[in-house]
Amino acid sequence: MSKKKPTVLLEHYLKQLKLPTMLQEYASLAATCSKERLDYPAYLLRLTERELIDRERRAAERRVKSARFPVIKTLDTFDFKAQPSINQTLIRELMTGEYIDRHENILFVGNSGTGKTHLSSALAFAACSQGRRVRFFTVSQLVTQLREAQEERQLQRMQGQLERHDLLVLDELGYVPFSKAGAELLFEVISRAYERTSLIVTTNLPFENWTEVMGSERLTGAMLDRLTHRVHILEANGESYRLRDSRQRLKRRKK
Ligand code: ADP
Ligand code: MG
């Protein structure tokens, strides 16, 4: 039997209204609901609920994708015992994302391999799941993109895009020193984010060495001032997890 006209029209309307889950499920759910002797409102309720749940899932996937995480990391794979210097209670509190509503920043300071990127990603991923707009950059990536945007006269546009986020992760400050122009562009981002967009910054540098990377004492002072006005500082001063990991693997092999 060919499809009856009403369903053809219905499917057309559902497509136009952009309700893909309802389109996909209205028929099978109608059969189930009629078996369960549910009335029309109950059927409609179930159908719209499914659309809503799917829509939220699709939006979350989009947010995660547009955040551009290098790798997705979560807290359940983080071994706090291996890094006792990290304040676990504070990390768990920050996972709620309330610091973002308060426009506070987070700063991770510590040597390479101490879990700074892992924890930043976990916090940013949680923020994504909570419906927040997040973007992950390494500092050098960000500065390169800003310089490119500037050359193409797109700097304002890019700055505007950055401002539309709730949280920016700036990973690895201090690994590469900046040119004067680069330092100024980074400063501009931090300055515009002040009291508007939360920042998570990771660095291997103690504050007193920031001038070396930024190149200017005045700029460093102004940047630190904004960054640390409302900040949670987490210091990871344990040994490198990578080193520990490979050392343990070596030991096992020798046994
Ligand atoms: P950093 O950014 O401080 O250099 P990373 O976060 O990149 O360090 O950590 C290096 C690697 O070790 C990553 O694969 C990370 O997932 C892992 N790692 C670091 N610390 C821990 C930890 N305490 N528990 C589990 N994995 C860890
Ligand atoms: Mg890192």
Side-chain angles (χ1 to χ4, degrees), residues 24-58:
Q24 211 185 341
E25 300 197 10
Y26 79 92
S28 60
L29 197 63
T32 318
C33 286
S34 98
K35 237 185 254 161
E36 291 178 27
R37 299 187 180 283
L38 291 178
D39 57 12
Y40 296 127
Y43 165 62
L44 192 58
L45 174 65
R46 273 204 202 173
L47 197 57
T48 45
E49 261 171 1
R50 288 194 186 183
E51 183 69 52
L52 209 63
I53 291 166
D54 263 4
R55 184 172 291 191
E56 274 162 20
R57 185 183 46 75
R58 288 192 299 268

Side-chain angles (χ1 to χ4, degrees), residues 73 77-79 82-83 111-118 241-242:
K73 294 274 179 180
T77 56
F78 192 80
D79 178 7
Q83 203 58 250
N111 294 331
S112 176
T114 50
K116 302 183 300 297
T117 301
H118 186 136
Y241 192 84
R242 291 192 195 98

Side-chain angles (χ1 to χ4, degrees), residues 116-117 171-172 175 202 242:
K116 302 183 300 297
T117 301
D171 197 22
E172 300 187 350
Y175 286 76
T202 82
R242 291 192 195 98

